[in-house]
Amino acid sequence: MSAPLLELDDVVKRYALPRESLRQAPRQVVALAGVSLAVSAGESLGLVGESGSGKSTLGRIAIALEPASSGCVRFEGQDVASLTAEHRRRLRRDVQMVFQDPYGSLDPRRTIGWIVAEPLWAQHLDRAQRQAAVAEVLASVGLRPADATKYPHEFSGGQRQRIAVARALITKPRLIIADEPVSALDVSVQAQVLNLLEDLQREFGVTFLLISHDLAVVDHVCERVAVMYRGRIVEEGSPRALFQAPAHPYTRALIAAMPRPVPGRRRERFERANGTGIASSGEGAGCPCADRCPYARERCRVEAPPLREVGAARRAACHFAEEVQTLPGPA
């Protein structure tokens, strides 16, 4: 595997909640509880987990839209937090993001040509150069150059997502962070957009960090998967290894929850946390999954498991990962 293009080293992100009393300091919620992750150049990494697990927060910190509370984010070996204004503009050119809502991320008052060309304004290109770049990138995502004169409302959801991808591609970035890029689309349109991402990676060598809650999506596109829970990465490895023999109980629960209409099928349950289905902070003593895990033991409640090697190119944050791997696959 080549040297990491993007590295996150023990990244923590805390958000202050609204103050409940003038005499008390505001409480904090931990969105990321010490995440370490590396993405190699040309790789496609999928980031999966339930809502509130910290996936989108990680993506925004990786692209420097938000600062980390602690820890280090490096792009090509450089600490993003210490970059000068000029180097930060260069980072914006090399790292782009595709957001979840293909309509909400496009300005309805602007033409597609203006929207797609917007990242080029900082490069001081003349009008003819910008128009040529827009025509080229629209063609690469399956749209016509004439579409540059239209407005977002004139396109379908799948076409609008293609426009968002075109805007991300126009600066010829090295890394694209796609945050739930197909969750708002019909199934048939999802396949078109996912195939487009695969084609673009083969053609341009773009590195992808794909954030999704859909395991089928990351299995289709990604070479490696990282599973997040309560602001932590609990398992990491190839899609084949994770989906065939998961080494973490939470990964087993995600796979069991996939909609597969098989008569008589019994799903493995992962109990609700603290009476709700909302993931809470991953800080504190013990394993963050202990209150929901059907395999939890006393050790899990007092000792937090580290993310450790459990096989070739495979890591899991579970004291009993080897035992979990040998269990029958999630039904």
Side-chain angles (χ1 to χ4, degrees):
M1 186 177 291
S2 58
L5 180 68
L6 174 70
E7 293 178 274
L8 286 80
D9 186 11
D10 199 24
V11 172
V12 174
K13 180 62 179 178
R14 298 182 177 89
Y15 292 101
L17 297 175
R19 186 187 293 268
E20 298 178 352
S21 171
L22 293 176
R23 298 182 179 182
Q24 296 179 352
R27 294 188 302 159
Q28 291 188 333
V29 60
V30 180
L32 298 178
V35 173
S36 296
L37 188 67
V39 185
S40 300
E43 182 184 22
S44 54
L45 172 66
L47 198 62
V48 301
E50 64 190 63
S51 297
S53 60
K55 307 184 301 298
S56 296
T57 300
L58 187 151
R60 291 194 298 269
I61 289 176
I63 202 175
L65 290 178
E66 294 186 27
S69 301
S70 64
C72 182
V73 179
R74 290 185 291 271
F75 184 78
E76 292 188 311
Q78 291 186 305
D79 186 355
V80 171
S82 64
L83 294 179
T84 63
E86 174 61 29
H87 286 91
R88 193 172 289 271
R89 283 194 293 270
R90 191 177 305 168
L91 176 68
R92 292 280 185 264
R93 201 162 56 234
D94 289 336
V95 184
Q96 290 288 319
M97 192 163 188
V98 177
F99 295 94
Q100 178 175 357
D101 183 1
Y103 189 71
S105 61
L106 305 178
D107 190 341
R109 300 169 297 177
R110 298 291 187 176
T111 64
I112 297 306
W114 194 98
I115 291 170
V116 173
E118 184 179 11
L120 297 178
W121 287 101
Q123 298 187 21
H124 308 294
L125 302 178
D126 60 36
R127 182 177 181 180
Q129 290 174 316
R130 290 197 302 270
Q131 289 178 338
V134 168
E136 179 183 358
V137 75
L138 286 178
S140 71
V141 297
L143 297 174
R144 299 173 301 170
D147 291 331
T149 61
K150 298 180 179 179
Y151 289 83
H153 72 271
E154 300 181 64
F155 296 88
S156 67
Q159 289 173 320
R160 288 196 290 260
Q161 197 61 287
R162 288 172 180 266
I163 293 166
V165 173
R167 181 175 59 182
L169 283 173
I170 196 151
T171 60
K172 295 181 171 60
R174 302 192 60 193
L175 171 66
I176 292 180
I177 299 174
D179 187 2
E180 301 277 9
V182 297
S183 63
L185 306 178
D186 294 336
V187 174
S188 60
V189 181
Q190 286 184 12
Q192 296 175 15
V193 175
L194 294 176
N195 290 334
L196 170 64
L197 296 181
E198 285 188 309
D199 294 341
L200 293 174
Q201 186 179 34
R202 284 194 297 266
E203 183 175 355
F204 300 107
V206 181
T207 304
F208 280 104
L209 176 58
L210 179 63
I211 299 171
S212 179
H213 65 275
D214 191 336
L215 297 181
V217 168
V218 297
D219 187 26
H220 182 77
V221 176
C222 300
E223 304 162 354
R224 190 160 58 95
V225 179
V227 181
M228 287 196 70
Y229 178 69
R230 295 191 183 181
R232 298 175 183 267
I233 293 178
V234 297
E235 188 165 3
E236 181 185 341
S238 69
R240 178 181 293 273
L242 263 64
F243 299 158
Q244 289 188 353
H248 196 280
Y250 179 65
T251 309
R252 291 178 60 87
L254 284 181
I255 297 170
M258 292 177 65
R260 290 174 292 184
V262 179
R265 174 172 171 260
R266 181 177 177 272
R267 293 187 178 182
E268 184 170 324
R269 295 185 60 85
F270 200 64
E271 297 301 327
R272 290 177 178 267
N274 303 319
T276 71
I278 302 175
S280 59
S281 167
E283 287 195 328
C287 175
C289 298
D291 58 349
R292 301 177 69 183
C293 179
Y295 313 107
R297 306 176 191 175
E298 186 58 31
R299 179 185 178 187
C300 303
R301 306 184 190 284
V302 297
E303 180 184 345
L307 188 63
R308 59 186 178 87
E309 299 287 339
V310 294
R314 181 89 175 274
R315 299 193 299 169
C318 179
H319 292 304
F320 310 104
E322 289 79 5
E323 295 182 28
V324 174
Q325 274 184 289
T326 62
L327 295 172

